[in-house]
């Protein structure tokens, strides 16, 4: 007789919403991270002295590869992909290192270093994932808060206009447009139907852009310029070259990426309400590294998870990974249809700033909710949170704080997310593992003998001064008292 297995309850991230809603919510994810994903190729292109068409190619390739990486991370293959609602894109943490490599060997040296370091990272991923047991709520909550706080300056820059050299940077008009978009999100979330509430970010982006166009703050004149379709050309900037020093430099970036992606995986798992173990983290890190190793073939760079989209999941409560996979498809389409990318790029930066305040604040709020689970009766947990957050916010408050340190140190600790993660992780291990084990050993060394008791009847027989010495029972005058065995009765 065969037993029928009852179907296991579906995980929140496995919910399927249908094609139309998935692509609508997926578009929200794309619009949320669009500014972040195009920023690294813009910076790299300008630093490398590339022409406008070449920079445009880097941007299109970044979208194309980011879409493929997102699909891999969300849908997954055996041993690759966390199958969580995480958007992937070019990591900003390696920009300084890649620019330094580019000044010596050009883009081919950068591409070679990215490929080689990613392959090494692919081998290291399972070992790195084993540290997940050292991420209790006191660590994960602190890291999630730092993710949100570290992104808020980005939202502020967007709200002020994005371009620090522009005459209207920080103007009342820009900040007013950001505030208008923010107000729209609040009103739509509060008074809209459940569907409208879930789509509040997308609707606010559209309405904010329309309002900006009406008042003359949006420019769509460049949308028609350039090709409509453009497939990425493999190795468009030449075949990669491999330099040992460049590879080692990028390997440090890979370790930073590991730290940030692990933090994002833990953050989104908290928001979604699903379980993440070392195997799942290893699969997520492998997806990062595989995407990063393939990325230079299509003229792009190291891939990692985008923290800002975790906030979107928290706001909309749409936890389906298939929604983010739909966003990945949209990114791929934007990568091969530059005209659509130019439409999205025409969204005024202050509108994105209003959205960013909500999204990034939501990430920090999720971290605070996680920290509510921490036991504060042990003051050491409070010290972990205080020191880790303070340490992590230093480069945000004073960006030049590590200017006098070696380049490898700055690569690791200039990132608020990685520095907070490392400090919280090390303090947690020291306080709750190393010291705890040492206290246990010390307690065992001076342990009090096990509690003993004697019958009350025996106590009644003993007299004042009776004592037991050298295996003999003696009275107060040191005379031995005979001890009768039971069988002599």
């Amino acid at each position: 007789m065969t037993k029928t297995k009852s179907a296991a309850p579906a995980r929140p991230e496995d919910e399927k919403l249908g094609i139309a809603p998935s692509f609508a919510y997926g578009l929200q994810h794309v619009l949320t991270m669009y500014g972040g994903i195009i920023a690294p190729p813009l910076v790299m292109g300008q630093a490398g002295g590339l022409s406008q068409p070449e920079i445009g190619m880097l941007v299109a390739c970044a979208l194309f590869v980011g879409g493929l990486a997102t699909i891999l991370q969300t849908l997954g293959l055996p041993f690759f992909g966390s199958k969580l609602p995480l958007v992937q894109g070019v990591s900003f943490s390696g920009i300084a290192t890649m620019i330094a490599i580019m000044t010596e060997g050009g883009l081919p040296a950068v591409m070679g270093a990215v490929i080689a370091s990613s392959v090494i990272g692919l081998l290291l991923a399972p070992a790195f994932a084993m540290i997940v047991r050292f991420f209790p709520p006191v660590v994960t909550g602190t890291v999630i808060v730092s993710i949100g706080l570290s992104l808020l300056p980005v939202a502020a820059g967007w709200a002020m206009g994005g371009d620090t050299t522009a005459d209207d940077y920080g103007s009342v008009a820009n900040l007013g447009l950001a505030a208008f978009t923010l107000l729209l999100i609040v009103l739509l979330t509060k008074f809209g139907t459940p569907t409208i509430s879930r789509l509040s970010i997308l609707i606010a982006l559209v309405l904010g852009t329309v309002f900006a166009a009406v008042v003359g703050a949006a420019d769509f004149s460049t949308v028609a310029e350039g090709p409509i379709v453009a497939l990425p050309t493999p190795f468009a900037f030449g075949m990669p070259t491999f330099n040992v020093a460049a590879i080692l430099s990028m390997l440090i970036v890979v370790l930073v990426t590991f730290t940030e992606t692990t933090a994002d995986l833990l953050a989104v798992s908290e928001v979604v309400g699903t379980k993440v173990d070392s195997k799942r983290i290893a699969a997520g890190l492998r997806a990062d590294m595989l995407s990063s190793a393939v990325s230079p073939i299509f003229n792009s760079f190291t891939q990692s998870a985008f923290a800002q989209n975790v906030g979107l999941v928290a706001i909309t409560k749409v936890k389906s990974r298939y929604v983010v996979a739909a966003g990945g498809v949209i990114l791929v389409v934007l990568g091969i249809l530059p005209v659509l990318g130019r439409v999205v790029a025409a969204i005024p930066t202050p509108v994105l700033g209003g959205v960013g305040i909500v999204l990034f604040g939501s990430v920090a709020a999720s971290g605070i909710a996680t920290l509510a689970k921490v036991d504060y009766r042990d003051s050491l947990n409070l010290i972990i949170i205080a020191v880790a957050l303070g340490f992590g916010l230093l480069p945000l408050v004073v960006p030049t704080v590590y200017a006098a340190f070696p380049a490898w140190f700055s690569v690791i600790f200039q990132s608020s997310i990685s520095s907070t993660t490392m400090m919280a992780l090390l303090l947690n291990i020291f306080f709750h593992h190393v010291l705890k084990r040492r206290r246990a050993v010390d307690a065992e060394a001076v342990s009090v003998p096990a509690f003993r008791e004697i019958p009350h009847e025996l106590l009644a027989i003993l007299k004042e001064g009776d004592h037991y010495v050298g295996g003999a029972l003696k009275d107060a005058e040191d005379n031995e008292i005979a001890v009768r065995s039971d069988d002599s009765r």
Side-chain angles (χ1 to χ4, degrees), residues 483-489:
V483 178
R484 185 183 66 191
S485 61
D486 290 342
D487 57 2
S488 62
R489 289 181 181 178

Side-chain angles (χ1 to χ4, degrees), residues 14 29 36 77 86 90 152 185 187 208 214 225 253 282 341 352 383 440 445:
D14 291 333
H29 278 283
L77 293 171
L86 275 175
V90 177
L152 281 174
I185 296 172
L187 294 176
V214 170
E225 296 178 5
V253 174
L352 293 175
I383 291 294

Side-chain angles (χ1 to χ4, degrees), residues 413-428:
F413 291 101
Q414 192 64 35
S415 165
S416 291
I417 298 173
S418 61
S419 54
T420 301
T421 302
M422 292 185 71
M423 183 57 69
L425 185 63
L426 291 174
L427 287 176
N428 176 65

Side-chain angles (χ1 to χ4, degrees), residues 171-476:
S171 66
V172 174
N174 283 343
L175 292 171
L177 182 54
F180 173 73
T181 308
L182 174 60
L183 180 62
L184 283 176
I185 296 172
V186 173
L187 294 176
L188 290 169
T189 303
K190 173 63 179 175
F191 300 108
T193 64
T195 301
I196 290 177
S197 180
R198 284 183 164 191
L199 288 170
S200 60
I201 300 294
L202 177 59
I203 296 172
L205 280 168
V206 173
L207 293 180
T209 302
V210 170
F211 176 77
V214 170
V215 299
D219 181 15
F220 291 91
S221 61
T222 60
V223 169
E225 296 178 5
I228 296 177
V229 180
L231 295 174
T233 304
F235 299 120
F237 297 94
M239 295 300 293
T241 59
F242 300 93
N243 178 278
V244 174
I247 293 169
L248 291 177
S249 298
M250 281 306 298
L251 194 55
I252 296 174
V253 174
V254 164
L255 295 177
V256 174
T257 303
F258 275 178
T259 305
E260 294 181 345
T261 297
T262 300
D264 292 336
L265 286 165
L266 294 170
V268 80
S269 71
E270 287 284 340
V271 171
V272 171
T274 192
K275 186 178 180 181
V276 165
D277 55 16
S278 59
K279 289 184 179 179
R280 205 167 185 185
I281 287 180
L285 297 179
R286 285 194 200 98
D288 261 9
M289 292 299 99
L290 179 60
S291 302
S292 298
V294 174
S295 181
I297 298 175
F298 298 103
N299 316 300
S300 197
F301 312 102
T302 308
Q303 302 291 304
S304 69
F306 268 50
Q308 51 261 53
N309 292 82
V310 178
L312 183 59
V313 176
I315 285 289
T316 63
K317 307 299 181 186
V318 179
K319 304 172 181 179
S320 171
R321 59 192 174 99
Y322 299 105
V323 163
V324 179
V329 173
I330 293 172
L331 284 173
V332 172
V333 172
L334 288 174
I336 61 177
L337 294 177
V339 63
L340 296 181
R342 293 193 292 272
V343 170
V344 176
I347 296 175
T349 308
V351 173
L352 293 175
V355 170
I357 292 171
V358 178
L359 295 178
F360 306 157
S362 299
V363 177
S366 298
I368 294 171
T370 302
L371 289 176
K373 305 173 186 176
V374 176
D375 183 3
Y376 292 101
R377 290 175 297 179
D378 181 358
S379 60
L380 294 179
N381 284 332
L382 195 61
I383 291 294
I384 292 172
I385 297 168
V387 174
L389 278 180
F391 186 74
L393 291 176
L394 280 178
L396 278 183
V397 179
V398 185
T400 58
V401 65
Y402 299 127
F405 285 72
W408 66 265
F409 186 93
S410 298
V411 168
I412 297 173
F413 291 101
Q414 192 64 35
S415 165
S416 291
I417 298 173
S418 61
S419 54
T420 301
T421 302
M422 292 185 71
M423 183 57 69
L425 185 63
L426 291 174
L427 287 176
N428 176 65
I429 292 173
F430 181 69
F431 286 151
H432 295 313
H433 294 272
V434 176
L435 288 186
K436 184 177 179 181
R437 189 177 297 114
R438 184 173 296 174
R439 284 195 298 265
V441 171
D442 292 344
E444 187 178 345
V446 296
S447 60
V448 179
F451 175 75
R452 298 178 302 154
E453 60 181 16
I454 60 174
H456 184 270
E457 299 80 22
L458 177 59
L459 186 62
I461 298 173
L462 296 176
K463 295 181 179 179
E464 187 73 25
D466 289 348
H467 55 285
Y468 190 76
V469 180
L473 184 63
K474 298 184 179 182
D475 60 18

